[in-house]
Amino acid sequence: MTVDLNINPLTNWLTDKKIPLVIAGPCSAESEEQMLATARELVKNQKISYFRAGIWKPRTRPGSFEGMGVEALRWMQAVKEETGLKVATEVANTDHVEVCLEHGVDLLWIGARTSVNPFSVQEIANALKGVDIPVAVKNPINPDLQLWVGALERINKAGIDHLIAIHRGFSSFEKSPFRNQPLWEFPIELKSICPDVPILCDPSHIAGTRDLIPFISQKALDMDMDGFMIESHINPMAALSDADQQLTPNALDDLLNDLIVRLATTRNEEFKTQLDDLRRLIDDLDEEITQKLSARMDVAEKIGEYKKENNVTILQVKRWEELISDRLSTATAMGLSEDFMRGVLKLVHKESIRRQTEVMNNQKV
Ligand code: PEP
Ligand code: MN
């Protein structure tokens, strides 16, 4: 499925064609001094196109720093006047949009706690009718691709054609080294649904800690993303919000210089032929895997019939445990990771149980 959006491609609206596009600045606007001191350093970096700062901060619990509000918009203006950087901030309702437009904010973004709510997104879209401004939509905090696509559609239908998606990871119960799980399949799928919408990665909110930011950033470029929104603060340790995931402007410069920008394609003919050969090999192997899976499911159904005739339960815990340990030891001996193989086996087992349940009950499940 693709969604028909009216999009102005990134390269057309960045006159200086800075690709990857970089939006950088503090998590929150804290004071005029902090904003200007950060911006004065960031503007030295040619790779940065927009200065960001949160003015209204959506906080999980009340009592934490909730942003400086409208007053901070004057500091934004000061940054813009002094450094010439374009400025960006987060909006969550009509009032935010209106006051940002009055203060000459150049780019608006919709945060992860707002893009999750179609009522709020529609309210923002209505406030944007007839306005020509780039709008970025962060993925919703929960992994729901349709909500993300829906939010982009609502903003696009309001007439915004300078649209950006921002991948900032997803909340999860699962233990993970990241603050928000990257779940790369979501931005990849978004690219295939909305091929014209540029996607930026927000490695700060995915990583949650400075040391994981380079890894996430390189991975984003390897996934062909179009740039970054990164948090940068003149004195990250003293930041009033998200202190652990902000880089100094110097550290950000190092990061951007160290990243390897790969090309989506190349003119090198030998490379292309070799790549084609390898891709054909992958196609053949995928077909083999599909055939084997199909054959395996047919056998599972036969076992289901047999169990039914003999009145035996579908789930045989002991057999399943033995099978897992046997398959895992073979897989790891063959160089596959235990986590990966466990995931594959879980899926295969789930499908076998579903097929056997159909046989047992004589109806589709
Ligand atoms: C932010 O960019 O500071 C922010 C609050 O982000 P998110 O909406 O991704 O949590
Ligand atoms: Mn933040």
Side-chain angles (χ1 to χ4, degrees):
M1 177 195 76
T2 56
V3 171
D4 207 11
L5 299 177
N6 177 19
I7 300 298
N8 208 326
L10 195 55
T11 37
N12 290 0
W13 50 284
L14 281 172
T15 46
D16 46 4
K17 298 206 170 52
K18 280 178 199 158
I19 300 279
L21 172 73
V22 181
I23 302 174
C27 176
S28 302
E30 298 166 6
S31 69
E32 185 163 14
E33 298 70 52
Q34 168 248 8
M35 294 269 277
L36 281 169
T38 308
R40 281 180 193 130
E41 289 305 307
L42 291 176
V43 74
K44 294 180 190 160
N45 194 326
Q46 295 294 311
K47 297 193 171 86
I48 296 169
S49 295
Y50 284 88
F51 176 86
R52 64 145 282 159
I55 281 174
W56 303 277
K57 299 304 297 178
R59 304 314 298 273
T60 307
R61 307 269 311 272
S64 341
F65 176 65
E66 293 191 332
M68 298 301 291
V70 180
E71 185 188 1
L73 282 171
R74 281 189 283 281
W75 311 335
M76 280 280 202
Q77 283 179 316
V79 164
K80 196 170 158 172
E81 274 161 29
E82 189 186 312
T83 65
L85 278 166
K86 291 189 181 141
V87 293
T89 198
E90 173 177 346
V91 290
N93 60 38
T94 310
D95 292 348
H96 294 170
V97 173
E98 282 170 1
V99 74
C100 281
L101 295 175
E102 280 163 26
H103 286 78
V105 174
D106 300 289
L107 180 150
L108 304 175
W109 85 81
I110 298 178
R113 289 160 195 79
T114 306
S115 63
V116 79
N117 182 350
F119 288 136
S120 304
V121 176
Q122 192 55 52
E123 180 185 323
I124 294 168
N126 294 344
L128 285 168
K129 283 210 175 104
V131 180
D132 183 17
I133 189 169
V135 178
V137 180
K138 289 201 169 193
N139 66 258
I141 36 177
N142 57 322
D144 184 331
L145 188 62
Q146 291 308 318
L147 263 183
W148 198 5
V149 174
L152 288 160
E153 272 182 300
R154 285 177 200 277
I155 301 299
N156 191 236
K157 276 192 188 351
I160 301 291
D161 60 358
H162 295 98
L163 205 55
I164 295 176
I166 299 183
H167 169 227
R168 51 78 76 199
F170 302 87
S171 273
S172 164
F173 283 127
E174 271 172 45
K175 209 167 148 262
S176 147
F178 306 113
R179 178 178 175 196
N180 289 294
Q181 298 255 45
L183 306 181
W184 295 98
E185 59 274 28
F186 282 80
I188 291 169
E189 183 76 0
L190 184 74
K191 232 184 181 26
S192 79
I193 296 178
C194 316
D196 299 327
V197 178
I199 308 182
L200 307 186
C201 174
D202 174 343
S204 305
H205 286 89
I206 293 178
T209 54
R210 269 179 282 285
D211 53 334
L212 291 171
I213 290 178
F215 166 75
I216 294 292
S217 307
Q218 186 59 57
K219 176 105 185 182
L221 285 186
D222 295 346
M223 298 285 162
D224 202 21
M225 298 223 180
D226 303 283
F228 302 102
M229 174 183 268
I230 301 193
E231 291 188 332
S232 176
H233 190 293
I234 194 68
N235 182 6
M237 308 295 251
L240 298 182
S241 60
D242 289 351
D244 296 338
Q245 64 185 40
Q246 307 205 52
L247 300 176
T248 61
N250 269 338
L252 175 58
D253 189 39
D254 289 345
L255 169 78
L256 295 176
N257 287 332
D258 288 348
L259 289 174
I260 303 163
V261 183
R262 297 183 220 279
L263 302 173
T265 182
T266 163
R267 277 192 240 288
N268 180 336
E269 286 310 318
E270 191 187 340
F271 167 83
K272 274 192 193 154
T273 323
Q274 281 188 14
L275 189 65
D276 282 350
D277 288 351
L278 291 172
R279 284 186 170 155
R280 258 191 300 278
L281 204 56
I282 290 275
D283 292 347
D284 291 348
L285 287 167
D286 281 352
E287 195 177 314
E288 254 179 64
I289 293 172
T290 312
Q291 279 170 9
K292 297 272 188 240
L293 281 173
S294 163
R296 192 191 190 283
M297 292 306 157
D298 289 347
V299 176
E301 270 190 16
K302 287 211 181 78
I303 294 181
E305 273 158 26
Y306 199 59
K307 283 179 184 162
K308 184 179 178 181
E309 279 164 29
N310 291 279
N311 214 15
V312 177
T313 58
I314 292 177
L315 185 64
Q316 306 269 313
V317 177
K318 191 155 178 296
R319 156 83 182 146
W320 171 237
E321 281 167 358
E322 281 165 8
L323 183 152
I324 285 262
S325 110
D326 174 71
R327 306 300 190 263
L328 286 182
S329 67
T330 314
T332 47
M334 291 180 163
L336 294 172
S337 85
E338 190 176 322
D339 266 7
F340 165 71
M341 194 60 192
R342 206 179 275 283
V344 171
L345 289 171
K346 247 192 193 163
L347 275 178
V348 169
H349 188 236
K350 195 171 157 207
E351 179 65 2
S352 285
I353 298 266
R354 191 187 69 78
R355 296 274 286 259
Q356 291 192 17
T357 312
E358 275 183 5
V359 171
M360 282 273 187
N361 302 336
N362 236 342
Q363 63 180 36
K364 293 244 168 264
V365 284

